[in-house]
Amino acid sequence: FAMSPNPNSRKGGLIGLAATAIALGKHINDYLPELVPPVMACFSDQDSRVRYYACEALYNIAKVSRSRLLSFFNRIFDGLSRLAADPDPNVKNGADLLDRLLKDVVSESNSFDLEAFMDLLRERIYGKNPF
């Protein structure tokens, strides 16, 4: 779905992945490597609605998986840092909601790798706006 030329197909795929994550519940950990990468790929989609749906899908995945999602944290943060500068206000809002949830997840977790995150944060602080 992520490579479909039809944006409606990409949005539908994202909705399906989010629903799958919710249905998996506590068993989501085994499927995170299959769920997260296609959603992350849609963070850079040319259609702003697809980018918004990607934020919403990852929000639902994060809501279910909580600290188990931290293995993808650096990639998610990288994508969110780009979406925070998105010209579409809906995408920015979706990214902000996901950002708040991730802050809660990180603050609840004892296994967050702060040193690895600091390197990524340093890169993003001095980066240029992709939009």
Side-chain angles (χ1 to χ4, degrees):
F1 80 91
M3 301 310 236
S4 172
N6 184 344
N8 290 327
S9 296
R10 294 191 301 269
K11 288 187 295 187
L14 288 165
I15 292 168
L17 289 174
T20 300
I22 292 168
L24 284 169
K26 64 181 179 178
H27 304 291
I28 194 170
N29 197 39
D30 296 334
Y31 300 95
L32 282 174
E34 286 80 26
L35 292 171
V36 175
V39 174
M40 295 291 304
C42 291
F43 274 7
S44 58
D45 197 274
Q46 70 269 14
D47 187 323
S48 63
R49 292 170 299 162
V50 173
R51 292 192 306 273
Y52 172 77
Y53 275 86
C55 290
E56 188 176 297
L58 195 56
Y59 181 91
N60 287 320
I61 292 169
K63 194 80 171 159
V64 173
S65 63
R66 302 301 287 187
S67 65
R68 293 169 286 194
L69 190 67
L70 290 178
S71 61
F72 296 94
F73 182 81
N74 285 355
R75 286 187 274 174
I76 293 169
F77 181 81
D78 186 49
L80 275 177
S81 66
R82 296 172 202 279
L83 292 175
D86 198 282
D88 186 292
N90 291 324
V91 175
K92 280 185 181 181
N93 185 40
D96 186 48
L97 291 172
L98 177 57
D99 179 60
R100 281 189 244 150
L101 176 60
L102 287 176
K103 286 176 188 174
D104 290 344
V105 169
V106 167
S107 65
E108 293 170 359
S109 174
N110 295 328
S111 63
F112 182 68
D113 185 0
L114 186 59
E115 290 179 24
F117 173 66
M118 293 309 290
D119 292 335
L120 179 62
L121 184 59
R122 191 175 300 113
E123 285 177 31
R124 286 291 150 235
I125 286 175
Y126 298 111
K128 294 189 181 212
N129 184 343
F131 295 99

